[in-house]
Amino acid sequence: MSPAPVIIAIDGLSGAGKTTLAIELAARLREHHKVSLFHLEDIYPGWNGLTAGIERYTSTVLAPLHRGEPAHWVSWDWKAHYDGEPRTTQPAEIVLVEGVGAAAADARHFLSAVVWADAPEQDRRSRALARDGESYEPYWDEWAAQEQEWLAADDVPAHADVRVLNLADGAAPAEVLQALQYLPAVAPALLPELAARRGLELRAERIDSAPDPARLFASLFGRSANAVWLDSSLAPDGAAAERSRFSIMADDGGPSGQSASHSSGRTEVSVGNAIVRTEGPFFRWLDGVWGRRAVRSPEDYPCEFTLGWLGYLGYELKRETGGSDVTADSPDACLLFAGRAVVLDHVERTAWLLALDGPDAGDWLETARTAVTEAASAAVADSAPAPSVPGSGSLDFTARDSEAAYKAKIKEAQHQIAEGNTYEVCLTTALTADLPAGAVDPHQAYLALRRRNPAPFASYLRFGDLTVASTSPERFLRIAADGGMRAEPIKGTRHRDADPARDAQLRQDLESSPKDRAENIMIVDLLRNDLSHFALPGSVSVSRLCAIESYATVHQMVSTVDARLRPGMPRAEAVAACFPAGSMTGAPKVSTMAILDRLEDAPRGVYSGAIGYFSLSGATDLAVAIRTLVLTDGPDGGAGLSLGVGGAITADSSPEEEYAEIQTKAFGVLSALGTEFPPG
């Protein structure tokens, strides 16, 4: 008896290309494994025998193979319409079973993974009859009716670990193989394939020019369904110079591209036309796909991003870090894996083109090179008008909490502080708007935001029907490739004033405010504790405390906390130990998050989470998702728009001043949209 094999079922309706997919997949796996392949069409007892065939297959084939024993079974003679020759399928390290019903309910407990192959309905019949037309055509309707009856009682697609749209273009086998490597029950058997995936080579080119970022993004990624622009739109000088040096643009195109979405304990990864679903915590999944150095940085390349995952982590991931389980309207995380990207160095005024080596790398580098050159020429001769937001003048936002309701929540937060349940509560609310079709162009809205309110961690994210436009000034967490860690919390805000003397007075008022300093120092202490869980003992330090930084619409109080990651520590877990940002919860974090759940009584979604990258160098740089618009397309062509705002409540907070502060924080975004904070 052999060890129990990994058994992978490839199921789908007739004509979905299951047989070809299984044969191609077996050929690829045989490079490193012993593989057995079983076709259910060999065992169905006739054209009306789908149900009986599934029963035969489960009992005489799957059961013994699962035990590591040979499977002895009787084939079906399709010409004689009767039982045929006895046959034997030998066990192997990996067994592939394919055919309609391969993943039926009675079979699933024997299976390590289920792949469901989809195909356009108009293609399935023509494919099936092209292969078996002479014998199959008279029975097509009878067989199709059996399939529909079976699926009505057994929704196999809903139980699939991997779903692939098989377009018969040759891409499906590689996409399915890559998707299977995300499944815990299969991944250990695919270590050789995983090793090959990690043997990545990075191609890089430096171009000595400064292209217009907006034009370059539109040229290279403007038509991509999933794309990310981490946009240091603030001039790279002054106090925020280090945070404002690089911009990164990427999508999930090319053979290496992938996208991932996580909601309430389930992660879906799209690999081309294949989608793989896994259950479990997000940060455990992240630890499996990121954290180890996978590529060498190019010579003289100054940025830590060497391709990898980019996107956002939503606030509701707090369920994995001590918070309660709250369901958000948007995914808890959306990331894309970029196998190609452009990095702009705003200090050196250069553009770096990055691509994982592969068949398409040369062509993409040529395309990117041309786009950079054209965008650089446009930057020199640019006389384009300022971006506008079509229809934005008619935007009407509604506040989730009225002024009276928000102030009442401030009073309740102060009651919790007086009771000793918390020291500081970062209370938030949201402004929302329902938009008719065409009311706002998301990309134009972002261009208006970045022009009105430039920030070191501005970003534009597009994940299908979800768009995020942020002008965040705040770093949540950076972990460098060498293990250096840094958090830069912001607590304390004043609006800017057109009168220089009044503006200077506001800055001085913030700098000398005992209340704002107390808020900031509480969060600094919280972050020192968060970082210490994975830091070398004695490495946690505060290199900057309560400094003032000025932006287009606000003055902010900023501190810097540094540490060094202990060697060998899992980097994804180090991110989790600090998530969500203490500047968005209050202190102590866990008990205050519970208070916030009761007070706010609504999910935050993207807002209060983090936006940034997880690089193949092992580095990450994440911003706090504040000053952030989230736009979700609706089924009727309209869209929902939301903007989260909030502030830290302490024992001596003034409800009037706190309410004025959220208006100040919203001003930069709302003014760019041509609208105002809703009254009442």
Side-chain angles (χ1 to χ4, degrees):
M1 186 171 70
S2 303
V6 169
I7 304 178
I8 302 170
I10 301 174
D11 208 334
L13 296 175
S14 294
K18 301 181 296 300
T19 302
T20 302
L21 174 58
I23 291 171
E24 291 291 334
L25 195 57
R28 292 168 187 261
L29 290 169
R30 284 185 177 120
E31 183 178 352
H32 300 290
H33 310 278
K34 290 184 178 179
V35 179
S36 283
L37 178 57
F38 176 80
H39 304 284
L40 267 72
E41 68 178 20
D42 294 334
I43 205 171
Y44 301 127
W47 293 108
N48 61 351
L50 175 58
T51 300
I54 292 172
E55 292 173 355
R56 284 188 176 195
Y57 145 74
T58 302
S59 60
T60 64
V61 178
L62 268 189
L65 288 177
H66 183 262
R67 296 191 299 266
E69 300 171 355
H72 304 288
W73 51 280
V74 177
S75 65
W76 182 256
D77 188 329
W78 289 94
K79 291 184 178 179
H81 297 282
Y82 201 73
D83 283 344
E85 297 294 324
R87 296 186 187 179
T88 300
T89 299
Q90 295 293 337
E93 183 185 356
I94 297 175
V95 175
L96 300 178
V97 291
E98 72 83 16
V100 181
D106 290 343
R108 285 198 286 272
H109 67 284
F110 293 120
L111 303 175
S112 307
V114 173
V115 177
W116 179 267
D118 288 307
E121 187 172 354
Q122 66 272 18
D123 293 344
R124 290 195 297 104
R125 181 184 175 107
S126 59
R127 282 188 199 171
L129 298 185
R131 193 189 72 174
D132 299 314
E134 182 178 339
S135 58
Y136 195 175
E137 188 166 14
Y139 302 98
W140 172 267
D141 291 336
E142 179 182 356
W143 187 265
Q146 289 180 87
E147 291 180 338
Q148 294 304 323
E149 183 179 357
W150 162 60
L151 284 178
D154 183 4
D155 189 359
V156 176
H159 292 88
D161 301 293
V162 178
R163 292 191 67 164
V164 59
L165 180 61
N166 189 358
L167 300 176
D169 57 0
E175 293 169 350
V176 169
L177 183 58
Q178 194 167 4
L180 288 170
Q181 296 166 15
Y182 285 106
L183 298 177
V186 178
L190 300 182
L191 287 177
E193 286 78 12
L194 283 168
R197 194 181 84 183
R198 288 173 181 150
L200 303 173
E201 294 292 333
L202 180 63
R203 295 179 61 175
E205 292 184 15
R206 169 179 164 149
I207 300 175
D208 291 320
S209 65
D212 176 77
R215 291 179 184 269
L216 181 59
F217 180 81
S219 174
L220 283 176
F221 307 115
R223 290 174 293 279
S224 302
N226 301 316
V228 170
W229 177 9
L230 303 182
D231 175 26
S232 292
S233 58
L234 190 68
D237 52 23
E242 180 269 329
R243 285 169 279 150
S244 305
R245 180 171 180 178
F246 300 108
S247 291
I248 300 167
M249 304 175 181
D251 69 359
D252 60 350
S256 299
Q258 302 170 50
S259 61
S261 174
H262 180 94
S263 293
S264 298
R266 168 177 279 195
T267 302
E268 292 189 356
V269 181
S270 296
V271 184
N273 288 309
I275 298 175
V276 56
R277 298 178 175 89
T278 57
E279 303 289 335
F282 170 80
F283 287 106
R284 183 185 301 166
W285 176 87
L286 182 62
D287 185 55
V289 301
W290 169 76
R292 289 165 286 277
R293 188 188 297 266
V295 298
R296 293 180 179 273
S297 295
E299 187 175 356
D300 299 325
Y301 176 64
C303 183
E304 293 265 22
F305 178 74
T306 55
L307 301 179
W309 295 93
L310 310 97
Y312 77 80
L313 314 184
Y315 177 76
E316 271 64 49
L317 285 176
K318 67 184 175 65
R319 72 170 63 88
E320 300 181 21
T321 62
S324 60
D325 189 355
V326 176
T327 301
D329 297 328
S330 55
D332 296 328
C334 281
L335 299 171
L336 64 81
F337 182 86
R340 56 199 193 186
V342 177
V343 177
L344 303 181
D345 184 340
H346 301 298
V347 171
E348 297 291 334
R349 295 180 62 78
T350 59
W352 286 85
L353 313 182
L354 308 178
L356 292 178
D357 199 12
D360 72 326
D363 290 342
W364 185 83
L365 288 169
E366 182 178 354
T367 299
R369 197 181 305 122
T370 300
V372 168
T373 301
E374 291 176 352
S377 299
V380 172
D382 194 0
S383 59
S388 60
V389 186
S392 63
S394 60
L395 285 181
D396 290 320
F397 278 90
T398 300
R400 188 174 71 209
D401 297 299
S402 67
E403 179 176 357
Y406 191 74
K407 289 179 177 178
K409 291 181 178 182
I410 293 172
K411 290 292 188 182
E412 176 57 26
Q414 290 177 315
H415 172 71
Q416 294 294 327
I417 294 170
E419 290 292 305
N421 298 323
T422 180
Y423 303 109
E424 180 179 3
V425 179
C426 295
L427 181 66
T428 77
T429 187
L431 311 180
T432 60
D434 293 321
L435 311 177
V440 168
D441 179 302
H443 188 238
Q444 288 298 314
Y446 174 67
L447 296 181
L449 285 178
R450 75 187 293 268
R451 187 180 186 95
R452 178 71 180 89
N453 193 31
F457 290 109
S459 56
Y460 177 73
L461 319 178
R462 185 170 59 242
F463 289 97
D465 60 3
L466 178 70
T467 302
V468 179
S470 177
T471 55
S472 174
E474 181 175 359
R475 171 177 276 148
F476 163 50
L477 178 67
R478 184 188 72 185
I479 303 177
D482 66 3
M485 304 171 74
R486 171 167 286 184
E488 297 186 86
I490 290 176
K491 268 286 160 267
T493 304
R494 296 291 187 276
H495 70 270
R496 299 295 303 269
D497 195 281
D499 176 53
R502 175 60 181 156
D503 190 59
Q505 183 182 1
L506 288 165
R507 179 185 172 105
Q508 175 60 32
D509 178 66
L510 175 61
E511 190 170 24
S512 60
S513 167
K515 171 187 172 295
D516 289 295
R517 289 183 65 87
E519 289 180 10
N520 196 292
I521 290 170
M522 283 186 209
I523 301 306
V524 166
D525 285 342
L526 187 155
L527 279 166
R528 290 171 63 211
N529 179 70
D530 287 349
L531 291 171
S532 70
H533 292 298
F534 287 85
L536 282 170
S539 69
V540 180
S541 64
V542 180
S543 57
R544 186 172 59 147
L545 185 64
C546 297
I548 306 301
E549 294 182 354
S550 297
Y551 296 90
T553 60
V554 292
H555 300 292
Q556 304 266 209
M557 183 177 285
V558 188
S559 294
T560 302
V561 186
D562 292 309
R564 181 155 293 277
L565 186 69
R566 292 202 306 272
M569 290 293 100
R571 294 184 173 219
E573 293 303 322
V575 175
C578 299
F579 190 90
S583 60
M584 300 306 296
T585 62
K589 185 184 288 187
V590 173
S591 61
T592 305
M593 286 192 293
I595 293 169
L596 288 167
D597 285 340
R598 296 193 298 272
L599 288 176
E600 296 177 359
D601 194 30
R604 294 186 182 180
V606 179
Y607 173 62
S608 299
I611 297 172
Y613 68 73
F614 301 93
S615 170
L616 291 175
S617 66
T620 182
D621 204 355
L622 300 166
V624 180
I626 54 175
R627 321 289 198 271
T628 298
L629 279 171
V630 179
L631 188 142
T632 306
D633 294 338
D636 59 353
L641 190 63
S642 67
L643 172 66
V645 288
I649 311 304
T650 60
D652 57 352
S653 288
S654 160
E656 289 73 23
E657 292 177 359
E658 294 295 343
Y659 191 73
E661 182 172 323
I662 67 171
Q663 293 176 307
T664 295
K665 290 176 176 176
F667 174 75
V669 174
L670 296 178
S671 61
L673 296 176
T675 190
E676 297 179 345
F677 200 95

